[in-house]
Protein backbone atom coordinates (compact mmCIF):
# COMPACT_ATOMS: atom_id res chain seq x y z
CA UNK A 1 0.00 0.00 0.00
CA UNK A 2 1.32 3.45 -0.79
CA UNK A 3 0.42 6.82 0.65
CA UNK A 4 -1.36 9.35 -1.54
CA UNK A 5 0.93 11.28 -3.85
CA UNK A 6 2.29 14.54 -2.55
CA UNK A 7 3.52 17.57 -4.49
CA UNK A 8 6.64 18.87 -2.81
CA UNK A 9 9.60 21.03 -3.62
CA UNK A 10 13.07 21.79 -2.37
CA UNK A 11 15.70 24.41 -2.99
CA UNK A 12 19.16 23.63 -4.23
CA UNK A 13 21.15 26.84 -4.43
CA UNK A 14 18.75 29.10 -6.25
CA UNK A 15 17.06 26.30 -8.16
CA UNK A 16 13.67 25.17 -6.99
CA UNK A 17 12.95 21.56 -7.78
CA UNK A 18 9.36 20.34 -7.71
CA UNK A 19 8.71 16.69 -7.22
CA UNK A 20 5.99 14.19 -6.49
CA UNK A 21 6.64 12.15 -3.39
CA UNK A 22 5.28 8.72 -2.72
CA UNK A 23 6.21 5.98 -0.28
CA UNK A 24 6.81 2.33 -0.90
CA UNK A 25 8.08 -0.70 0.92
CA UNK A 26 11.67 -0.40 -0.24
CA UNK A 27 15.12 0.17 1.18
CA UNK A 28 16.48 3.05 -0.88
CA UNK A 29 15.21 6.36 -2.17
CA UNK A 30 14.36 6.24 -5.85
CA UNK A 31 14.33 9.31 -8.11
CA UNK A 32 13.12 9.42 -11.68
CA UNK A 33 13.15 12.40 -14.01
CA UNK A 34 10.73 12.15 -16.92
CA UNK A 35 11.00 13.79 -20.33
CA UNK A 36 8.11 16.09 -19.42
CA UNK A 37 10.40 17.31 -16.58
CA UNK A 38 8.32 15.72 -13.83
CA UNK A 39 10.44 14.49 -10.95
CA UNK A 40 9.13 11.52 -9.00
CA UNK A 41 10.59 10.47 -5.70
CA UNK A 42 9.77 7.16 -4.08
CA UNK A 43 10.93 6.96 -0.49
CA UNK A 44 11.02 3.94 1.81
CA UNK A 45 7.87 3.78 3.96
CA UNK A 46 8.28 5.64 7.20
CA UNK A 47 11.24 7.81 6.12
CA UNK A 48 11.35 11.18 7.83
CA UNK A 49 11.06 14.37 5.82
CA UNK A 50 14.54 15.29 7.01
CA UNK A 51 16.07 12.05 5.73
CA UNK A 52 14.33 12.47 2.37
CA UNK A 53 15.44 16.06 1.93
CA UNK A 54 19.05 15.23 2.87
CA UNK A 55 19.15 12.44 0.32
CA UNK A 56 17.50 14.62 -2.33
CA UNK A 57 20.01 17.41 -1.87
CA UNK A 58 22.81 14.94 -2.53
CA UNK A 59 21.05 13.90 -5.73
CA UNK A 60 20.20 17.47 -6.80
CA UNK A 61 23.09 17.98 -9.26
CA UNK A 62 22.08 14.78 -11.05
CA UNK A 63 18.39 15.81 -11.08
CA UNK A 64 19.22 19.27 -12.45
CA UNK A 65 21.40 17.76 -15.12
CA UNK A 66 18.59 15.43 -16.21
CA UNK A 67 16.13 18.32 -16.32
CA UNK A 68 18.50 20.42 -18.39
CA UNK A 69 19.26 17.60 -20.77
CA UNK A 70 15.71 17.18 -21.90
CA UNK A 71 14.70 19.32 -24.79
CA UNK A 72 11.47 17.53 -24.58
CA UNK A 73 8.21 18.45 -26.16
CA UNK A 74 5.60 19.99 -23.88
CA UNK A 75 2.45 20.97 -25.73
CA UNK A 76 2.09 24.73 -25.40
CA UNK A 77 -1.69 24.52 -25.36
CA UNK A 78 -4.21 21.93 -24.21
CA UNK A 79 -6.24 20.28 -27.00
CA UNK A 80 -8.32 22.74 -28.97
CA UNK A 81 -11.85 22.47 -30.36
CA UNK A 82 -11.29 24.83 -33.33
CA UNK A 83 -14.35 26.93 -32.65
CA UNK A 84 -14.95 30.68 -32.84
CA UNK A 85 -13.43 32.68 -30.01
CA UNK A 86 -10.94 30.02 -28.98
CA UNK A 87 -7.35 31.24 -28.62
CA UNK A 88 -4.49 29.77 -30.62
CA UNK A 89 -0.79 30.51 -30.33
CA UNK A 90 1.50 31.72 -33.06
CA UNK A 91 5.08 32.82 -32.34
CA UNK A 92 4.26 33.08 -28.66
CA UNK A 93 1.23 35.31 -29.07
CA UNK A 94 -2.41 34.45 -28.65
CA UNK A 95 -4.90 34.90 -31.46
CA UNK A 96 -8.63 34.46 -31.29
CA UNK A 97 -10.07 32.14 -33.87
CA UNK A 98 -12.71 33.45 -36.22
CA UNK A 99 -14.15 30.93 -38.64
CA UNK A 100 -16.28 31.90 -41.61
CA UNK A 101 -17.79 29.96 -44.49
CA UNK A 102 -16.46 30.81 -47.92
CA UNK A 103 -16.09 29.18 -51.31
CA UNK A 104 -12.30 29.02 -50.84
CA UNK A 105 -9.87 28.12 -48.04
CA UNK A 106 -7.72 30.84 -46.52
CA UNK A 107 -6.03 31.57 -43.19
CA UNK A 108 -5.03 35.14 -42.32
CA UNK A 109 -3.66 36.87 -39.26
CA UNK A 110 -5.72 40.00 -38.97
CA UNK A 111 -5.89 42.47 -36.05
CA UNK A 112 -5.03 39.93 -33.38
CA UNK A 113 -7.30 37.34 -34.91
CA UNK A 114 -6.66 34.13 -36.70
CA UNK A 115 -9.17 34.53 -39.44
CA UNK A 116 -10.25 31.35 -41.22
CA UNK A 117 -12.33 31.38 -44.34
CA UNK A 118 -13.19 27.88 -45.45
CA UNK A 119 -15.37 25.70 -47.59
CA UNK A 120 -18.08 23.81 -45.73
CA UNK A 121 -16.41 20.42 -46.25
CA UNK A 122 -12.95 21.53 -45.05
CA UNK A 123 -12.06 20.84 -41.44
CA UNK A 124 -10.77 23.90 -39.56
CA UNK A 125 -8.23 21.78 -37.72
CA UNK A 126 -6.74 20.44 -40.95
CA UNK A 127 -6.59 23.88 -42.54
CA UNK A 128 -4.94 25.40 -39.49
CA UNK A 129 -2.46 22.54 -39.13
CA UNK A 130 -1.37 23.04 -42.75
CA UNK A 131 -1.06 26.79 -42.19
CA UNK A 132 1.10 26.27 -39.08
CA UNK A 133 3.30 23.82 -40.95
CA UNK A 134 3.88 26.23 -43.83
CA UNK A 135 4.64 29.08 -41.40
CA UNK A 136 6.99 26.73 -39.55
CA UNK A 137 8.83 25.83 -42.74
CA UNK A 138 9.48 29.48 -43.59
CA UNK A 139 10.22 30.77 -40.09
CA UNK A 140 12.48 27.87 -39.03
CA UNK A 141 14.48 28.20 -42.21
CA UNK A 142 14.86 31.99 -41.74
CA UNK A 143 15.92 31.45 -38.12
CA UNK A 144 18.47 28.84 -39.15
CA UNK A 145 19.96 31.31 -41.65
CA UNK A 146 20.10 33.94 -38.90
CA UNK A 147 21.85 31.69 -36.36
CA UNK A 148 24.19 29.84 -38.70
CA UNK A 149 26.79 32.65 -39.14
CA UNK A 150 27.55 32.43 -35.39
CA UNK A 151 28.89 28.96 -36.07
CA UNK A 152 31.10 30.06 -38.98
CA UNK A 153 34.37 29.23 -37.26
CA UNK A 154 33.24 25.62 -36.73
CA UNK A 155 32.81 25.21 -40.47
CA UNK A 156 29.70 23.09 -40.15
CA UNK A 157 27.81 22.46 -43.35
CA UNK A 158 24.42 24.09 -43.67
CA UNK A 159 22.19 21.44 -42.15
CA UNK A 160 19.19 19.94 -43.90
CA UNK A 161 16.11 21.19 -42.14
CA UNK A 162 13.23 18.76 -41.69
CA UNK A 163 9.87 19.35 -40.07
CA UNK A 164 8.31 16.38 -38.40
CA UNK A 165 5.76 15.80 -35.66
CA UNK A 166 7.56 14.17 -32.79
CA UNK A 167 5.58 12.96 -29.79
CA UNK A 168 8.27 13.78 -27.21
CA UNK A 169 10.73 16.26 -28.67
CA UNK A 170 10.96 19.83 -29.90
CA UNK A 171 13.96 19.08 -32.00
CA UNK A 172 16.67 16.59 -32.75
CA UNK A 173 19.58 16.16 -35.09
CA UNK A 174 21.51 13.38 -36.76
CA UNK A 175 25.29 12.97 -36.97
CA UNK A 176 24.88 13.43 -40.75
CA UNK A 177 23.83 17.02 -40.10
CA UNK A 178 20.08 16.79 -40.44
CA UNK A 179 18.15 19.06 -38.05
CA UNK A 180 14.59 17.94 -37.32
CA UNK A 181 12.10 20.32 -35.73
CA UNK A 182 8.62 19.79 -34.37
CA UNK A 183 6.12 21.97 -36.30
CA UNK A 184 4.39 22.77 -32.97
CA UNK A 185 7.42 24.92 -32.18
CA UNK A 186 5.93 27.64 -34.42
CA UNK A 187 3.53 28.35 -31.51
CA UNK A 188 6.47 29.30 -29.29
CA UNK A 189 8.10 32.74 -28.97
CA UNK A 190 10.76 33.57 -31.57
CA UNK A 191 13.50 33.41 -28.94
CA UNK A 192 12.47 29.89 -27.98
CA UNK A 193 12.58 28.79 -31.61
CA UNK A 194 16.04 30.31 -31.89
CA UNK A 195 17.05 28.46 -28.74
CA UNK A 196 15.96 25.06 -30.06
CA UNK A 197 17.76 25.63 -33.36
CA UNK A 198 20.90 26.85 -31.56
CA UNK A 199 20.74 23.81 -29.27
CA UNK A 200 20.60 21.45 -32.25
CA UNK A 201 23.41 23.26 -34.07
CA UNK A 202 25.59 22.95 -30.95
CA UNK A 203 24.93 19.21 -31.17
CA UNK A 204 26.52 19.15 -34.61
CA UNK A 205 29.74 20.06 -32.80
CA UNK A 206 29.27 18.31 -29.45
CA UNK A 207 26.94 15.36 -29.72
CA UNK A 208 26.22 14.87 -26.01
CA UNK A 209 25.24 17.21 -23.20
CA UNK A 210 28.76 17.60 -21.91
CA UNK A 211 30.24 20.66 -20.26
CA UNK A 212 31.76 21.60 -23.61
CA UNK A 213 28.28 21.46 -25.13
CA UNK A 214 26.85 23.83 -22.52
CA UNK A 215 29.84 26.16 -22.78
CA UNK A 216 29.23 26.42 -26.50
CA UNK A 217 25.49 26.93 -26.03
CA UNK A 218 26.19 29.70 -23.47
CA UNK A 219 28.50 31.37 -25.92
CA UNK A 220 26.07 31.12 -28.87
CA UNK A 221 23.00 32.21 -26.92
CA UNK A 222 23.82 33.64 -23.48
CA UNK A 223 20.13 33.98 -22.50
CA UNK A 224 19.05 30.48 -23.61
CA UNK A 225 17.75 29.55 -20.14
CA UNK A 226 15.08 32.22 -20.32
CA UNK A 227 13.86 30.95 -23.70
CA UNK A 228 13.97 27.33 -22.60
CA UNK A 229 11.79 28.29 -19.67
CA UNK A 230 9.35 30.18 -21.88
CA UNK A 231 9.08 27.05 -24.00
CA UNK A 232 8.31 24.88 -21.03
CA UNK A 233 6.04 27.08 -19.01
CA UNK A 234 4.03 29.08 -21.52
CA UNK A 235 1.02 26.77 -21.24
CA UNK A 236 -2.15 28.77 -21.85
ZN1 LIG B 1 20.27 18.23 -26.68
Amino acid sequence: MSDPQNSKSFLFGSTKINYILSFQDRKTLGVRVYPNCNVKVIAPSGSSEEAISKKLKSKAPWIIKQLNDFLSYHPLTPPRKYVNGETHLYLGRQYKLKVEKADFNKVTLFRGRLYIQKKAETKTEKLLTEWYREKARVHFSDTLQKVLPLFAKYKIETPDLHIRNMPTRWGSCTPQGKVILNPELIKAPKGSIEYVITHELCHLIHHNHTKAFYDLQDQMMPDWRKWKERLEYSLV
Side-chain angles (χ1 to χ4, degrees):
M1 206 183 82
S2 65
D3 288 328
Q5 292 200 325
N6 274 310
S7 276
K8 305 259 182 195
S9 67
F10 74 101
L11 272 179
F12 183 75
S14 59
T15 307
K16 186 179 171 201
I17 300 175
N18 297 310
Y19 64 96
I20 310 244
L21 176 65
S22 61
F23 293 93
Q24 245 177 36
D25 244 346
R26 52 182 289 157
K27 289 209 163 61
T28 55
L29 185 97
V31 181
R32 289 197 68 180
V33 181
Y34 293 87
N36 63 2
C37 293
N38 276 346
V39 179
K40 289 193 179 164
V41 176
I42 307 165
S45 306
S47 344
S48 69
E49 208 145 292
E50 205 189 345
I52 295 170
S53 105
K54 197 175 159 205
K55 192 83 199 167
L56 274 179
K57 282 196 173 146
S58 75
K59 290 194 181 223
W62 177 83
I63 296 171
I64 291 168
K65 184 176 182 309
Q66 299 302 305
L67 288 170
N68 284 336
D69 281 1
F70 287 123
L71 188 56
S72 58
Y73 169 59
H74 314 256
L76 293 170
T77 50
R80 290 299 197 241
K81 295 196 185 80
Y82 300 92
V83 292
N84 271 323
E86 191 177 54
T87 57
H88 286 253
L89 281 171
Y90 173 63
L91 295 177
R93 298 177 70 170
Q94 295 195 52
Y95 293 90
K96 270 209 168 116
L97 204 61
K98 183 163 170 51
V99 187
E100 255 181 33
K101 277 198 190 121
D103 50 11
F104 54 90
N105 290 329
K106 196 176 179 206
V107 181
T108 334
L109 283 180
F110 182 67
R111 294 189 180 163
R113 280 172 193 269
L114 198 45
Y115 188 39
I116 299 200
Q117 294 159 289
K118 66 167 197 80
K119 295 180 186 170
E121 70 271 20
T122 308
K123 282 219 157 64
T124 307
E125 179 176 3
K126 183 172 175 280
L127 195 59
L128 199 53
T129 304
E130 285 168 3
W131 180 81
Y132 273 127
R133 195 175 260 263
E134 175 56 20
K135 291 286 179 191
R137 201 184 56 75
V138 174
H139 187 77
F140 296 170
S141 156
D142 288 352
T143 308
L144 178 68
Q145 292 310 321
K146 179 186 159 195
V147 174
L148 210 51
L150 295 174
F151 289 83
K153 74 171 182 185
Y154 296 96
K155 303 211 173 359
I156 51 172
E157 297 216 11
T158 303
D160 265 345
L161 190 61
H162 293 253
I163 293 172
R164 190 195 298 157
N165 283 95
M166 291 174 278
T168 61
R169 312 180 79 170
W170 284 118
S172 73
C173 64
T174 68
Q176 291 75 37
K178 193 196 265 187
V179 168
I180 306 158
L181 298 172
N182 194 321
E184 288 288 300
L185 190 57
I186 195 66
K187 296 176 182 173
K190 287 180 180 178
S192 297
I193 297 172
E194 204 173 309
Y195 155 65
V196 173
I197 292 177
T198 304
H199 182 97
E200 298 308 336
L201 290 180
C202 290
H203 273 315
L204 298 178
I205 298 148
H206 299 291
H207 196 64
N208 295 311
H209 294 118
T210 54
K211 183 174 182 305
F213 172 87
Y214 285 112
D215 287 348
L216 181 64
Q217 189 171 264
D218 280 339
Q219 184 192 326
M220 294 303 177
M221 193 179 193
D223 60 351
W224 65 267
R225 285 172 189 82
K226 172 174 110 188
W227 296 112
K228 181 178 196 285
E229 217 160 86
R230 292 276 298 270
L231 191 56
E232 286 161 1
Y233 299 105
S234 59
L235 196 77
V236 288

